[in-house]
Amino acid sequence: MILVTGGAGYIGSHTCVELLNAGKEIVVLDNFSNSSRDVPEKIARITKKEFDTIEGDVCDPETVRKLFSDYPIDAVIHFAGLKAVGESVEKPLLYYRENLSGAVNLLECMRDFGVKRFIFSSSATVYAADNPMPLTEESRLGCTNPYGWTKFMIERILEGACKADPGFSAVALRYFNPIGAHESGLIGEDPKGIPNNLLPYVARVAAGKLDCLSVFGDDYDTPDGTGVRDYIHVCDLARGHLLALDYAFGRTGIDFINLGTGKGTSVLEIVRAYEEASGKKVPYRIAPRRAGDIATCYADTEKAKRVLGFCAQYGILDMCYSAYRFTEGTDD
Ligand code: WQD
């Protein structure tokens, strides 16, 4: 049985769908601090599979120990944690406490219950800003915000856990920019409040829920001057977790793997793609650069292909159309 922490969240819920569709048994732990309580029922509707959801905090030792006592856990996929870059700059101690103690608490319970396989939701944000592109798993590490440092530190904690227990197997998946939604339109990216990330903001402007997109800078050294990122469909990303799980069962030690498409797309290209996919206009204005942003970031995907057999299938239009269906609940 697979424990999915944060399984009601954006990437966690899509991964639960992949796991259930592949015949895996799962149990979800989520405190619903950044996810909706109706997501587990939607996962069950999509997959027609039953599973338990435990409402609780991965930072609470009693909650996690009870879960490991109640369920025959073979592996853990760990999504639960705080993930807003900007908020992490304002509230660094909250991020270090929540993200680090959650991971350590989980790993201590795994050690005590003899559970030895761990898939970690890491991020391309662990790579230093001045690396040449594309980013490989050997690119220089270095973060510019507490959120990124928590991902970096948890990777180092996993290295230590693997050194201490030669039977332990961990895979840190370094996500690039996950966007889009499941084809059912039932689950997707639905941040509370004003979205920090580009796609949910674009989707809400197109839906008339927000007035205008601010494009953070058009004077970068990129083809159209706007920021370039490696956007990957969340369903491709979810499938990557299933492949990483099988990989983790077949080995010991830790490995780090990029999950991206290997292609860069600019902000204005995303705007145009969303307009084409949705048939809606996305009004925008050029605004000053956002602090901490870099011009270009995209993945070298060779290792994911070589060790996981992973290759992203969906294109930008698919990603935008699926986000549109989720945001506007179209039933066409
Ligand atoms: C993408 C591009 C912005 C909003 C972040 C985290 C990263 C990961 C993914 C968790 C940039 C531009 C954005 C807007 C804009 N999250 N933009 N107007 O910053 O690449 O990565 O989310 O793991 O860790 O750092 O994603 O979607 O915020 O920005 O012009 O209103 O869109 O400048 O070029 P980012 P993003």
Side-chain angles (χ1 to χ4, degrees), residues 161-197:
C162 289
K163 279 207 184 75
D165 175 0
F168 200 74
S169 172
V171 180
L173 297 172
R174 291 171 176 167
Y175 308 159
F176 280 70
N177 287 56
I179 63 172
H182 186 266
E183 61 186 7
S184 64
L186 290 173
I187 54 176
E189 190 173 15
D190 189 18
K192 293 181 174 163
I194 304 293
N196 298 304
N197 293 133

Side-chain angles (χ1 to χ4, degrees), residues 49-128:
K49 300 278 176 68
E50 295 301 315
F51 61 94
D52 289 350
T53 297
I54 309 299
E55 179 169 358
D57 193 333
V58 71
C59 297
D60 174 21
E62 283 320 300
T63 301
V64 180
R65 300 194 74 81
K66 181 168 182 345
L67 191 150
F68 275 80
S69 307
D70 294 348
Y71 296 89
I73 306 297
D74 302 306
V76 175
I77 305 183
H78 181 41
F79 294 102
L82 301 176
K83 64 168 194 171
V85 170
E87 185 185 49
S88 79
V89 175
E90 291 159 28
K91 303 175 183 172
L93 300 183
L94 173 70
Y95 271 67
Y96 286 120
R97 174 161 50 77
E98 289 293 309
N99 289 1
L100 299 186
S101 62
V104 171
N105 183 43
L106 197 49
L107 288 163
E108 285 179 327
C109 287
M110 289 177 70
R111 176 200 61 202
D112 297 349
F113 284 83
V115 180
K116 295 185 178 285
R117 294 164 189 99
F118 192 88
I119 308 299
F120 176 50
S121 164
S122 190
S123 168
T125 200
V126 303
Y127 293 118

